[in-house]
Amino acid sequence: MFVSCKSSQDLVYLSNLKESEYSINIQNKVKPRIQPDDLLAITVSTLSPESNALFNSGVLQGAGKGVIASGEKNEGYLVDDNGFINFPVVGKIQLAGFTKEEATEKLTTEINKFVRKPIVNVRFLDFKISVIGEVNRPATYTVPTEKINLLQAIALAGDLTAYGKRENIALIREKEGVRSVVRVNLNNKDILNSPNFYLQQNDVVYVEPGKSKAVQTSLSRNNLQFGLSIGLSLISVLTVLLTNL
């Protein structure tokens, strides 16, 4: 009953989008930047198989398909608390604060001091987002493409339940040692052009329950207590009747 009383308008995403056609120039896409504790996959291809072995921690990336030289898979490079990775031959190099493209360019410049025309590829191994609260599948999800927006994250989590507050989603984000909480309204079309539309690695999306969930929980608790009381009363009556027989 209480779910049905919830305004149907509150259950509709982008409910103030009245136009039959709507388009905006995408200006809110923010490229993820490397942060401390990120895990990066970095591969280097050169004309020299020996150089490939040095720069790829045992993974050869020369002409033809790659060959595992050491028998162990490269587990990636962990960015330390100061923003550095320890890369073979090059040594410690700072990548925190860089986008993938910027990190690729910097590594290419450094590796070019040792070999000619290296081809460098950088990607995130642990681009994760979490969706919790009033969704059907709360969990932490790994995003292989490193590009995900808020609606896609909610879709991964099986969409919001009927009790979720679509107009007051909490986005929890850590950036440069600062943890912040931003509120977004999925009922408003302005979210499509919001700087918070695209998620960053390690973002947490929290969907709060609405008042109807609290009411239902309270009613369920009261019904349970009432049922227990009736049950205990019946047991007492039956006990008295059996005693008098």
Side-chain angles (χ1 to χ4, degrees):
M1 178 184 68
F2 285 96
V3 173
S4 63
C5 289
K6 185 178 177 68
S7 171
S8 60
Q9 192 78 354
D10 293 337
L11 300 176
V12 179
Y13 297 115
L14 314 177
S15 58
N16 66 340
L17 184 59
K18 305 301 181 183
E19 302 90 335
S20 58
E21 293 186 11
Y22 177 77
S23 63
I24 54 174
N25 293 326
I26 298 176
Q27 299 177 341
N28 58 342
K29 183 180 177 182
V30 180
K31 292 184 178 181
R33 293 189 175 272
I34 297 169
Q35 302 174 7
D37 296 326
D38 278 345
L39 193 63
L40 305 176
I42 302 174
T43 55
V44 180
S45 297
T46 73
L47 298 176
S48 167
E50 292 78 11
S51 297
N52 291 333
L54 285 173
F55 287 112
N56 290 290
S57 299
V59 181
L60 300 181
Q61 299 287 341
K65 59 183 179 181
V67 178
I68 305 298
S70 65
E72 296 182 0
K73 188 175 180 181
N74 186 357
E75 295 182 352
Y77 297 92
L78 181 66
V79 183
D80 66 22
D81 291 340
N82 297 316
F84 288 83
I85 65 167
N86 194 10
F87 197 71
V89 182
V90 175
K92 299 196 71 172
I93 182 170
Q94 187 170 16
L95 295 182
F98 287 75
T99 64
K100 281 196 315 178
E101 292 76 13
E102 293 168 346
T104 299
E105 184 178 348
K106 184 171 183 178
L107 281 165
T108 301
T109 299
E110 293 297 323
I111 295 171
N112 195 50
K113 298 175 182 178
F114 302 93
V115 294
R116 295 181 57 192
K117 298 180 179 180
I119 299 175
V120 181
N121 181 60
V122 179
R123 66 182 180 88
F124 291 93
L125 284 176
D126 63 341
F127 192 100
K128 299 188 293 290
I129 55 98
S130 299
V131 188
I132 59 175
E134 285 298 322
V135 292
N136 289 300
R137 292 193 301 270
T140 295
Y141 297 92
T142 300
V143 184
T145 61
E146 302 149 16
K147 176 187 175 183
I148 185 170
N149 62 49
L150 189 55
L151 296 178
Q152 290 170 328
I154 289 173
L156 279 178
D159 205 356
L160 275 65
T161 69
Y163 299 107
K165 295 177 67 175
R166 288 154 174 78
E167 72 283 1
N168 196 27
I169 305 291
L171 176 59
I172 305 168
R173 175 172 295 169
E174 294 184 11
K175 183 178 180 181
E176 298 177 355
V178 177
R179 184 178 293 113
S180 61
V181 180
V182 179
R183 301 283 179 171
V184 295
N185 183 358
L186 294 182
N187 289 338
N188 194 324
K189 67 180 181 182
D190 290 343
I191 185 61
L192 297 175
N193 206 31
S194 166
N196 300 305
F197 184 63
Y198 287 97
L199 301 181
Q200 302 293 307
Q201 67 266 45
N202 304 316
D203 278 357
V204 177
V205 178
Y206 171 53
V207 182
E208 294 182 0
K211 293 181 179 179
S212 56
K213 180 64 176 289
V215 171
Q216 186 204 44
T217 302
S218 178
L219 286 174
S220 298
R221 186 182 299 112
N222 290 338
N223 289 338
L224 178 61
Q225 292 175 347
F226 179 74
L228 288 173
S229 298
I230 294 296
L232 291 173
S233 298
L234 289 174
I235 291 173
S236 299
V237 171
L238 288 173
T239 301
V240 171
L241 291 175
L242 291 172
T243 301
N244 293 331
L245 287 178

